[in-house]
Amino acid sequence: MARLSKDRLFPVEERSRGLARELYATTRDLPIISPHGHTDPRWFAENAPFPDPARLFVTPDHYVFRLLHSQGVPLEALGVARADGGPVETDSRLVWRLFARHFHLLRGTPSWLWLRHAFETVFGIDESLAESNADAVFDHIAGCLARPEFRPRALFERFGIEVLATTEGPLDDLRWHRLLRESGWSGRVITAYRPDAVVDPDSDGFAANVEAFGALAGVDATRWDGYLDAHRIRRAYFKDFGATSTDHGHPTARTENLSRDEAAALFDKALRGIATAEEADAFRGHMLTEMARMSLDDGLVLQLHAGALRNHSTPMLQRFGRDRGYDLPLRTDYVRALRPLLEAVGERADLTIIVFTLDESTYARELAPLAGVYPALRLGPAWWFHDSPEGMRRYREMTTETAGFYNTVGFNDDTRAFCSIPARHDVARRVDAAYLATLVATGRIDDDEAFEIAHDLAYRLAKAAYRL
Amino acid sequence: MARLSKDRLFPVEERSRGLARELYATTRDLPIISPHGHTDPRWFAENAPFPDPARLFVTPDHYVFRLLHSQGVPLEALGVARADGGPVETDSRLVWRLFARHFHLLRGTPSWLWLRHAFETVFGIDESLAESNADAVFDHIAGCLARPEFRPRALFERFGIEVLATTEGPLDDLRWHRLLRESGWSGRVITAYRPDAVVDPDSDGFAANVEAFGALAGVDATRWDGYLDAHRIRRAYFKDFGATSTDHGHPTARTENLSRDEAAALFDKALRGIATAEEADAFRGHMLTEMARMSLDDGLVLQLHAGALRNHSTPMLQRFGRDRGYDLPLRTDYVRALRPLLEAVGERADLTIIVFTLDESTYARELAPLAGVYPALRLGPAWWFHDSPEGMRRYREMTTETAGFYNTVGFNDDTRAFCSIPARHDVARRVDAAYLATLVATGRIDDDEAFEIAHDLAYRLAKAAYRL
Amino acid sequence: MARLSKDRLFPVEERSRGLARELYATTRDLPIISPHGHTDPRWFAENAPFPDPARLFVTPDHYVFRLLHSQGVPLEALGVARADGGPVETDSRLVWRLFARHFHLLRGTPSWLWLRHAFETVFGIDESLAESNADAVFDHIAGCLARPEFRPRALFERFGIEVLATTEGPLDDLRWHRLLRESGWSGRVITAYRPDAVVDPDSDGFAANVEAFGALAGVDATRWDGYLDAHRIRRAYFKDFGATSTDHGHPTARTENLSRDEAAALFDKALRGIATAEEADAFRGHMLTEMARMSLDDGLVLQLHAGALRNHSTPMLQRFGRDRGYDLPLRTDYVRALRPLLEAVGERADLTIIVFTLDESTYARELAPLAGVYPALRLGPAWWFHDSPEGMRRYREMTTETAGFYNTVGFNDDTRAFCSIPARHDVARRVDAAYLATLVATGRIDDDEAFEIAHDLAYRLAKAAYRL
């Protein structure tokens, strides 16, 4: 029932807590740099009110609905759309009540913190959600959402967002980004180029995607050279809408540096649907090197999000479609997998490759040692399941000693849940303040260094790494 | 020489320590739910005195004798029986002296805590064991053991055990459980069905086991359908002696969901001793899915203890037999391995599958994400080498943020060492109190939530998950 | 700008910090046992002044130059020699300025602590290095180096080193060790036998190495029996120069125990350059068992440093040669890999095998369980990238509960950077004091035990394990 603690996530010992408070006081109000995420540009283009509390907080948030589902709540009852068109709950108040009744399941998870933070700071709700206050909280939030100061652009400004990147596929016409630009609104919402649909031979409709891709770019993308040209053309198009980065989601971190003929042959097989699993993987791996080469030309930062096995449950995929909480981490190798890419371009200090992982065992063993030597390589922040206080702490404890702070790139919220953006950045700033305070308290950095690093981690590194 | 600290395992900072004390005060005296372990039902059926200190604390405890052996103490000198009938030390006092002389080797291990706790709370011994007091402690414990209040049933009651599960093989006639039931004693000691001997084609005497299995069940278990029937019949028999769970020890977490014909063919090969290693593994994997399907019918909870390479040293296996400290953890995959099982039955909220691991790198990467979405899946507590303060802390820190508290199942002591049962539950309750106090102190849960969760972890979750 | 904190690396809570201080006070001034490292015996044999600050602290220290390079500083500009003879910066003052300008990159890394410690305790410099004081610090250190009390032997004595082991290859004539012995200086600098160049078929010039090896030993080492004899003869020669250990650097921990004929056949193939990668690996694995057998005869301790992929970047290998920061950790298996060796000799309490890892996920899962049962096996300390406060803490937290303290072997500095030796031992002694203080504060060991263990970890265990 209490408000969130003002000292949350700080060390418990009084002197380190005091220093963490001081550090956080200098970063708390810094503008938010959100260089990677999955919010919907349409929100900002149209600036329409968010529909209702359930559709703001429950239905789109896989962190929330997967945890309720794990205790037997059917996704239908939470209003999650069926891929097969089957019926789901449409009464948002009923969805909200169900959410409220199970809110205790989120205890100890970052969602508890994010939601409490959003309730408190965005909607002024001082109590935790429970069955008993479900209706009252619903009505209060719904009332807020109807007011102009809770529309997307107003919240964007209130959140102090300096720049927000969305992520679009290669076939996206960027209409919402165009509309945004034409609107004259001053908020900086940019896109990022995520070409998986035309890079991953295992994507649904890969060959058709490539054809459409060529059509958009005005080249024949079904030939290897044309395909590469289409990437160049679409990258330029995305860049025109502010993109400073590309993003790549692969099941492994495998990279390849094939000859032109080998690559073209794989591409041809992939288009014809006859690439083996091994060939598809090699093709994906080679495309990372191609993308890196293009980055050397156009300056886009390359992000690699590796190691998720998507859609673990075939029955649930058929019932609900993608991104429904059934993407699961895989053990991932980086040292051997990234070698072809790094041998090709890793020494280029004018290139930035940012690697993310879902396999924490690689932080100290592989990623920090790699980022600690290759000029082109940087470590993305703790990602997805690890975007949490313990996850962030482990990230710092397992990467700093080998890679330092300056091979990391600040924080990414990586979210679809708009109201969680300030909450997530707040968690990151607090955890970093706590970590730095502990380093000072244990004599591992000087006091003045801690203040400088706190600012770097909260603001400067993200801007620099993403060229924002 | 001092008594154990009253504040052991609590946070060191004063305010969190205070809260941990308060939390622990509410769980310390809760009844013990011991839903999985390896104590001997004969103890409670016969209620004979335990023989002597060495045979109570040293000879049966692989944690103890393996650590002494690692520093060069021959197992023979510790009275561990030879499989080949060779001579071993039979003078328990000499074994005890050797144990006392090497007691310092246990420093920093959970055995130090467990033994000190048992010495102090069960036998009233306030000093640590050492060469100098070996005889005095031996005599004191031996004196106690001769008294009626130190017999198994009296200790069971004194320990506050509400229910204790033993583990029996499929060929066991459950005679001790029968005797127990007939004795009229009120203590609740139940069995659990561990069919490895008739499920694992690599078991000693697999084909003979299956034949005996059928004979016990009154069916021809050498045919596939009869074999499955025999399982159903024996499960019902075990259920009749209180079983609420089955247990499965496999070298990997591999599961399969084969067609009837494929499964029957593998079974046939296994019976004839011509299954390859791969086929044996596939058969074990398929049997987990069969067992889960039977659980849907009879309600038994399915436990999977995966990832131990048994009998690492062939010479030591030949000399001393199984369970002599030479079982070693293997890196284990769960995300890919459990997929067939979870696609088959993972969405069933009326099924409970509890998974344990010896590979901590899977907590955050695989097990918490899996348990955080599949309704049927729960995480067993920190197991075996990880049943320790640091192991339990890492378990909470690496699972809670993704799976929450309610996809875990409380504590299992999983022990053969009877006197360690209260000690182990005490460690778990203290570590959880410390963890919860830290979450409160860092603003990650509310104070009142912590008290509720403490009770859940110490008592309610184990009862609920194991249907006790 | 401040001096290093006197309480650095101690717990932050006051009472535990107080106990850590007391523990550390008893170990701070103990003599340094350095049983494994890579300092140059020539320094002590010639006792010439160290050339200048850059060549003392920057050029030879891969921890330092790799981290600067990772942010785009060319290795040439740091004075790192080119393998291809290309030009590099030779003006040490310019190298030093570049180092000073980038000193902030080392924040949070152990190098920051080591360098600050050396600057302060060896050279009396109370401020951190920065661009602004680069020249002043350079001049000050250069001035010191010219004085007799900063020559290698004087520093050796000032550092309180009781014994220091260097590491030499099998073809080394040990001329500096001979010179040292003949000099009459009382400092104990011993060698260690690292035969990789004649054990690893993938070594540069393997066949030529073996031939030269035989020539040195006075046998025909190109036949299997002669080859083994040559090892025996060279081991005895190294032992004559104080060696108490051998050391083996392998990409994996694979061991084999082949028949004489199998081993001889592999050796023959390796010599003829026709061994496959698999055969080369099997040969390396078998040689560990051969070395262990020889250790049973001559008493040398066997060290296994496994799991580094050397020279990750081929372009950088060609440009700068080996040991330039491009050696990267690999995921490593021990349970299966060490089985042949341990089945052959693991039960021998008169043998000591010390295993190191770069894969921390194996501490709790594999190495502690193995060392906690096999009499011959000991765990080396946290190694290389993990030779750091967090790395050492994780090492204790993940190994102690299963292996105890007495299956570990104290600290190895393993360094090429002479001035970092006292700094590194100081870090280890502080981290261990902090760990022990925390164990006492949480009731996991008694106060008097902590003092005994602190002494063991800082001094006694290294002497005992390495037979010094």
Side-chain angles (χ1 to χ4, degrees):
Chain A
M1 292 296 182
R3 295 174 63 88
L4 287 175
S5 159
K6 284 186 182 170
D7 287 331
R8 63 187 179 279
L9 306 180
F10 292 160
V12 291
E13 187 273 331
E14 202 47 51
R15 274 176 318 134
S16 343
R17 173 163 287 198
L19 179 55
R21 266 191 214 120
E22 289 176 43
L23 289 163
Y24 173 67
T26 68
T27 61
R28 184 186 48 212
D29 300 322
L30 288 173
I32 286 177
I33 305 296
S34 177
H36 174 70
H38 300 275
T39 51
D40 191 341
R42 182 175 182 171
W43 296 335
F44 310 107
E46 296 195 320
N47 202 32
F50 288 107
D52 64 64
R55 268 177 278 206
L56 185 63
F57 283 116
V58 182
T59 319
D61 190 338
H62 56 71
Y63 286 92
V64 168
F65 63 66
R66 80 193 303 274
L67 206 46
L68 270 63
H69 180 62
S70 76
Q71 289 281 316
V73 180
L75 291 186
E76 288 89 345
L78 292 167
V80 176
R82 287 271 294 263
D84 57 6
V88 305
E89 183 56 64
T90 54
D91 183 337
S92 284
R93 185 176 295 272
L94 294 184
V95 169
W96 188 259
R97 284 180 189 160
L98 196 59
F99 171 50
R101 185 152 71 243
H102 290 88
F103 193 78
H104 66 283
L105 297 178
L106 306 179
R107 288 171 180 168
T109 74
S111 296
W112 187 97
L113 272 176
W114 299 332
L115 289 162
R116 292 282 298 264
H117 187 275
F119 291 169
E120 185 172 312
T121 65
V122 183
F123 297 100
I125 298 164
D126 281 1
E127 40 189 348
S128 192
L129 185 65
E131 198 166 6
S132 57
N133 64 8
D135 278 355
V137 170
F138 184 91
D139 291 335
H140 177 79
I141 295 176
C144 290
L145 293 179
R147 286 151 55 189
E149 63 265 37
F150 287 87
R151 296 217 172 178
R153 291 183 185 176
L155 288 177
F156 184 99
E157 285 156 9
R158 181 169 155 197
F159 291 169
I161 299 175
E162 182 174 315
V163 56
L164 176 76
T166 65
T167 305
E168 271 76 42
L171 306 180
D172 195 294
D173 60 8
L174 304 185
R175 59 189 299 188
W176 303 115
H177 282 278
R178 178 180 301 280
L179 199 62
L180 249 172
R181 185 163 68 183
E182 290 166 1
S183 76
W185 178 52
S186 66
R188 187 175 174 199
V189 177
I190 62 178
T191 184
Y193 183 65
R194 171 107 169 196
D196 298 4
V198 297
V199 160
D200 180 0
D202 296 334
S203 296
D204 288 341
F206 174 71
N209 294 345
V210 169
E211 214 156 322
F213 182 55
L216 271 173
V219 297
D220 177 3
T222 63
R223 296 173 307 99
W224 176 241
D225 292 334
Y227 171 73
L228 293 182
D229 279 342
H231 276 293
R232 287 185 196 99
I233 291 162
R234 295 298 290 162
R235 290 167 66 106
Y237 186 76
F238 275 61
K239 218 178 143 177
D240 199 36
F241 288 95
T244 68
S245 68
T246 70
D247 183 29
H248 308 273
H250 288 196
T252 72
R254 175 174 181 176
T255 65
E256 293 289 349
N257 185 12
L258 306 173
S259 70
R260 193 200 166 287
D261 287 355
E262 289 171 305
L266 284 183
F267 177 62
D268 191 54
K269 281 190 171 177
L271 273 191
R272 290 159 57 205
I274 59 168
T276 63
E278 157 62 21
E279 289 168 336
D281 202 44
F283 182 72
R284 282 189 296 262
H286 176 71
M287 282 308 296
L288 288 174
T289 305
E290 293 290 351
M291 290 289 116
R293 289 208 186 94
M294 290 185 197
S295 284
L296 283 167
D297 291 333
D298 63 19
L300 294 182
V301 169
L302 188 159
Q303 299 175 90
L304 175 58
H305 285 89
L309 187 161
R310 305 273 167 179
N311 310 304
H312 190 261
S313 167
T314 307
M316 292 301 277
L317 173 64
Q318 288 162 352
R319 200 174 177 91
F320 293 99
R322 299 175 167 274
D323 299 322
R324 289 299 173 263
Y326 285 82
D327 299 339
L328 286 160
L330 290 175
R331 206 175 63 214
T332 309
D333 290 316
Y334 293 92
V335 165
R336 286 200 178 96
L338 294 180
R339 196 175 191 177
L341 175 69
L342 292 173
E343 290 200 324
V345 298
E347 289 297 319
R348 293 292 296 260
D350 54 343
L351 173 67
T352 303
I353 299 170
I354 303 175
V355 179
F356 299 78
T357 193
L358 293 171
D359 181 355
E360 292 181 320
S361 75
T362 65
Y363 283 153
R365 186 181 60 221
E366 305 181 27
L367 291 176
L370 283 166
V373 72
Y374 280 104
L377 201 66
R378 294 290 181 277
L379 297 187
W383 176 40
W384 200 338
F385 296 108
H386 307 312
D387 179 9
S388 61
E390 299 292 344
M392 290 176 187
R393 178 181 60 79
R394 287 196 291 268
Y395 171 82
R396 291 285 173 218
E397 289 180 357
M398 295 199 285
T399 65
T400 306
E401 294 184 323
T402 292
F405 289 104
Y406 297 99
N407 287 305
T408 64
V409 302
F411 183 63
N412 283 188
D413 53 72
D414 196 8
T415 192
R416 298 166 203 279
F418 186 47
C419 286
S420 78
I421 289 178
R424 289 172 193 241
H425 285 263
D426 185 68
V427 168
R429 290 170 186 191
R430 286 173 178 273
V431 171
D432 283 337
Y435 178 67
L436 291 168
T438 300
L439 290 191
V440 173
T442 53
R444 285 183 274 173
I445 52 173
D446 291 337
D447 194 277
D448 57 335
E449 293 179 311
F451 282 90
E452 198 179 313
I453 299 167
H455 187 270
D456 290 338
L457 302 183
Y459 184 74
R460 200 188 59 77
L461 283 174
K463 282 190 80 160
Y466 281 89
R467 307 183 180 188
L468 290 165
Chain B
M1 292 295 182
R3 294 176 64 88
L4 287 175
S5 159
K6 283 187 181 169
D7 286 332
R8 63 188 178 278
L9 307 180
F10 293 160
V12 291
E13 187 274 333
E14 201 49 50
R15 274 176 318 134
S16 345
R17 174 162 286 196
L19 179 56
R21 265 190 214 120
E22 289 175 43
L23 289 164
Y24 173 68
T26 69
T27 61
R28 184 187 49 212
D29 299 323
L30 288 173
I32 286 176
I33 305 295
S34 178
H36 173 69
H38 299 276
T39 51
D40 190 342
R42 182 173 182 173
W43 295 335
F44 310 107
E46 297 195 320
N47 201 31
F50 289 106
D52 65 64
R55 269 177 277 205
L56 184 62
F57 283 115
V58 182
T59 320
D61 190 339
H62 55 72
Y63 287 91
V64 168
F65 62 67
R66 80 193 302 274
L67 206 46
L68 269 62
H69 180 62
S70 76
Q71 289 280 317
V73 179
L75 292 184
E76 287 89 344
L78 292 167
V80 176
R82 288 270 293 262
D84 57 6
V88 306
E89 182 57 63
T90 55
D91 184 337
S92 285
R93 185 176 294 273
L94 295 184
V95 169
W96 188 260
R97 284 180 188 161
L98 196 57
F99 170 49
R101 185 153 71 243
H102 291 88
F103 194 78
H104 66 283
L105 297 178
L106 306 179
R107 289 170 180 170
T109 74
S111 296
W112 186 96
L113 272 176
W114 298 333
L115 289 162
R116 292 283 298 265
H117 187 275
F119 291 170
E120 185 172 313
T121 65
V122 183
F123 296 100
I125 298 164
D126 281 0
E127 42 189 345
S128 192
L129 185 65
E131 198 165 6
S132 57
N133 64 8
D135 279 354
V137 170
F138 184 92
D139 291 335
H140 176 79
I141 295 176
C144 289
L145 293 178
R147 286 150 54 188
E149 63 266 38
F150 288 86
R151 296 217 172 178
R153 291 183 185 178
L155 288 178
F156 183 100
E157 286 155 9
R158 179 169 155 198
F159 292 168
I161 299 174
E162 182 175 316
V163 55
L164 176 76
T166 65
T167 305
E168 271 77 42
L171 306 180
D172 195 294
D173 60 7
L174 304 185
R175 60 190 297 191
W176 304 114
H177 282 277
R178 178 180 301 280
L179 199 60
L180 250 171
R181 186 163 67 182
E182 290 166 0
S183 76
W185 178 52
S186 65
R188 186 172 174 202
V189 176
I190 63 179
T191 184
Y193 184 64
R194 170 108 171 195
D196 298 3
V198 297
V199 160
D200 179 0
D202 296 334
S203 296
D204 288 341
F206 174 70
N209 294 345
V210 169
E211 215 155 325
F213 182 54
L216 271 173
V219 297
D220 177 3
T222 63
R223 295 173 308 99
W224 176 241
D225 292 334
Y227 172 72
L228 292 183
D229 279 341
H231 276 292
R232 287 186 195 99
I233 291 162
R234 294 300 289 162
R235 290 168 67 106
Y237 185 76
F238 274 62
K239 220 177 141 176
D240 200 37
F241 288 95
T244 68
S245 67
T246 69
D247 183 29
H248 307 274
H250 287 195
T252 72
R254 175 175 180 174
T255 64
E256 293 289 350
N257 184 13
L258 306 173
S259 70
R260 193 201 167 286
D261 286 355
E262 289 172 306
L266 283 183
F267 177 62
D268 190 55
K269 282 190 171 177
L271 271 191
R272 290 157 58 205
I274 59 167
T276 63
E278 156 62 22
E279 289 168 334
D281 202 42
F283 181 73
R284 282 189 295 261
H286 177 72
M287 282 307 297
L288 288 175
T289 305
E290 293 290 352
M291 289 289 116
R293 289 210 185 93
M294 290 185 197
S295 285
L296 282 167
D297 291 332
D298 64 19
L300 293 181
V301 169
L302 188 159
Q303 298 175 92
L304 175 57
H305 285 89
L309 187 161
R310 305 271 168 183
N311 310 305
H312 190 261
S313 167
T314 307
M316 292 301 277
L317 172 65
Q318 288 161 352
R319 199 174 177 93
F320 292 99
R322 299 173 167 273
D323 298 322
R324 288 299 173 263
Y326 286 81
D327 299 338
L328 287 160
L330 290 176
R331 206 175 64 214
T332 309
D333 290 317
Y334 293 92
V335 164
R336 285 202 179 94
L338 295 180
R339 197 175 190 177
L341 175 69
L342 292 173
E343 289 200 323
V345 298
E347 289 297 318
R348 292 292 296 261
D350 54 342
L351 173 67
T352 303
I353 299 170
I354 302 176
V355 180
F356 299 79
T357 193
L358 294 173
D359 180 355
E360 293 181 319
S361 75
T362 66
Y363 284 152
R365 187 181 60 221
E366 305 182 26
L367 291 176
L370 283 165
V373 72
Y374 280 104
L377 201 66
R378 294 290 180 277
L379 298 187
W383 176 40
W384 200 337
F385 295 108
H386 308 312
D387 179 10
S388 61
E390 299 292 344
M392 291 177 186
R393 177 181 61 79
R394 287 195 292 268
Y395 171 81
R396 290 283 174 219
E397 289 180 356
M398 295 199 285
T399 66
T400 306
E401 293 185 323
T402 293
F405 289 104
Y406 297 98
N407 287 306
T408 65
V409 301
F411 183 64
N412 283 187
D413 55 71
D414 195 9
T415 191
R416 299 166 202 278
F418 186 48
C419 286
S420 78
I421 289 180
R424 289 171 192 241
H425 285 262
D426 185 69
V427 168
R429 290 170 186 192
R430 287 173 177 274
V431 171
D432 283 337
Y435 178 67
L436 292 167
T438 300
L439 290 191
V440 173
T442 53
R444 285 184 274 174
I445 53 173
D446 291 336
D447 194 277
D448 57 336
E449 294 180 310
F451 282 90
E452 198 179 312
I453 298 167
H455 187 270
D456 291 338
L457 301 184
Y459 183 73
R460 201 188 57 78
L461 283 174
K463 282 191 80 160
Y466 281 89
R467 306 182 181 188
L468 291 166
Chain C
M1 292 295 181
R3 294 176 65 90
L4 286 175
S5 159
K6 284 185 180 170
D7 286 331
R8 63 186 180 279
L9 306 179
F10 292 161
V12 291
E13 188 273 332
E14 201 49 49
R15 273 175 319 133
S16 343
R17 173 163 287 197
L19 180 54
R21 265 188 215 121
E22 288 175 44
L23 289 163
Y24 173 68
T26 68
T27 61
R28 184 186 49 212
D29 299 323
L30 288 173
I32 286 176
I33 305 296
S34 177
H36 173 69
H38 300 277
T39 51
D40 189 342
R42 183 173 180 174
W43 296 335
F44 310 106
E46 297 195 321
N47 201 32
F50 288 107
D52 64 66
R55 269 177 276 208
L56 184 62
F57 283 115
V58 183
T59 320
D61 190 338
H62 55 71
Y63 287 92
V64 168
F65 63 65
R66 80 193 303 274
L67 206 47
L68 269 63
H69 180 62
S70 76
Q71 289 279 316
V73 180
L75 292 185
E76 288 89 344
L78 293 167
V80 176
R82 288 271 292 264
D84 57 5
V88 305
E89 183 57 64
T90 54
D91 184 336
S92 285
R93 186 176 294 272
L94 295 184
V95 169
W96 188 259
R97 285 181 187 161
L98 196 59
F99 170 49
R101 186 152 70 243
H102 291 87
F103 194 78
H104 66 283
L105 298 179
L106 305 179
R107 289 172 179 166
T109 75
S111 296
W112 186 97
L113 273 176
W114 298 333
L115 288 162
R116 292 282 298 264
H117 187 275
F119 291 170
E120 184 172 314
T121 65
V122 183
F123 296 100
I125 299 165
D126 281 0
E127 41 190 347
S128 193
L129 185 64
E131 199 166 5
S132 56
N133 64 9
D135 278 355
V137 170
F138 184 92
D139 291 334
H140 177 79
I141 295 176
C144 290
L145 293 179
R147 285 150 53 189
E149 62 266 38
F150 289 86
R151 296 218 172 178
R153 291 184 185 176
L155 288 178
F156 184 100
E157 286 156 8
R158 180 169 154 197
F159 292 168
I161 299 174
E162 182 174 316
V163 55
L164 176 77
T166 65
T167 305
E168 272 77 42
L171 306 180
D172 196 294
D173 60 8
L174 304 185
R175 60 190 296 192
W176 304 113
H177 283 277
R178 178 179 301 279
L179 199 62
L180 249 172
R181 185 162 70 183
E182 290 166 0
S183 76
W185 178 53
S186 65
R188 186 173 174 202
V189 176
I190 63 178
T191 185
Y193 183 65
R194 169 107 171 196
D196 298 2
V198 297
V199 160
D200 180 0
D202 296 334
S203 296
D204 288 340
F206 174 70
N209 294 345
V210 170
E211 214 154 324
F213 182 54
L216 271 173
V219 297
D220 177 3
T222 63
R223 294 173 309 98
W224 176 241
D225 292 334
Y227 171 72
L228 292 183
D229 279 342
H231 276 293
R232 287 185 196 99
I233 290 162
R234 295 298 290 161
R235 290 168 65 106
Y237 185 76
F238 274 62
K239 219 177 142 178
D240 201 36
F241 288 95
T244 68
S245 67
T246 69
D247 182 29
H248 308 274
H250 287 195
T252 72
R254 175 175 181 175
T255 65
E256 293 289 350
N257 185 12
L258 306 173
S259 71
R260 193 201 167 287
D261 286 355
E262 289 171 305
L266 283 183
F267 178 63
D268 191 55
K269 282 189 172 179
L271 272 191
R272 289 157 58 205
I274 59 168
T276 63
E278 156 62 22
E279 289 169 334
D281 202 43
F283 181 73
R284 281 189 296 261
H286 176 73
M287 282 308 296
L288 288 174
T289 305
E290 291 290 351
M291 289 290 116
R293 288 208 187 94
M294 290 185 198
S295 285
L296 283 167
D297 291 333
D298 64 19
L300 295 182
V301 169
L302 188 159
Q303 299 175 90
L304 175 57
H305 285 88
L309 187 161
R310 305 273 167 181
N311 309 305
H312 190 261
S313 167
T314 307
M316 292 301 278
L317 173 64
Q318 288 162 352
R319 200 174 176 94
F320 292 99
R322 298 173 167 274
D323 298 323
R324 289 298 174 263
Y326 286 82
D327 299 338
L328 287 160
L330 290 175
R331 207 176 61 215
T332 309
D333 291 316
Y334 293 93
V335 165
R336 286 200 178 95
L338 294 180
R339 197 175 191 176
L341 175 70
L342 292 173
E343 290 200 323
V345 299
E347 289 297 319
R348 292 292 296 260
D350 54 342
L351 172 67
T352 304
I353 299 169
I354 302 176
V355 180
F356 299 79
T357 194
L358 293 173
D359 181 355
E360 293 181 320
S361 75
T362 66
Y363 284 152
R365 187 181 59 222
E366 305 181 27
L367 291 176
L370 283 165
V373 72
Y374 279 103
L377 201 65
R378 294 290 180 276
L379 297 187
W383 176 41
W384 199 337
F385 296 107
H386 308 313
D387 178 10
S388 61
E390 299 291 345
M392 290 176 186
R393 178 180 60 79
R394 287 196 291 270
Y395 171 81
R396 289 285 174 217
E397 289 180 358
M398 297 199 285
T399 65
T400 306
E401 293 184 324
T402 292
F405 290 103
Y406 297 99
N407 287 306
T408 65
V409 302
F411 183 64
N412 282 188
D413 55 72
D414 196 9
T415 192
R416 296 166 203 279
F418 185 48
C419 286
S420 78
I421 290 179
R424 289 171 192 242
H425 285 263
D426 185 68
V427 168
R429 289 170 186 192
R430 287 173 177 273
V431 171
D432 283 337
Y435 178 68
L436 292 168
T438 301
L439 290 190
V440 173
T442 52
R444 285 184 274 175
I445 53 173
D446 291 336
D447 194 276
D448 57 335
E449 293 180 310
F451 282 90
E452 198 178 313
I453 299 166
H455 188 270
D456 290 339
L457 302 184
Y459 183 74
R460 200 190 57 80
L461 283 175
K463 282 190 80 159
Y466 282 90
R467 309 184 179 188
L468 290 165

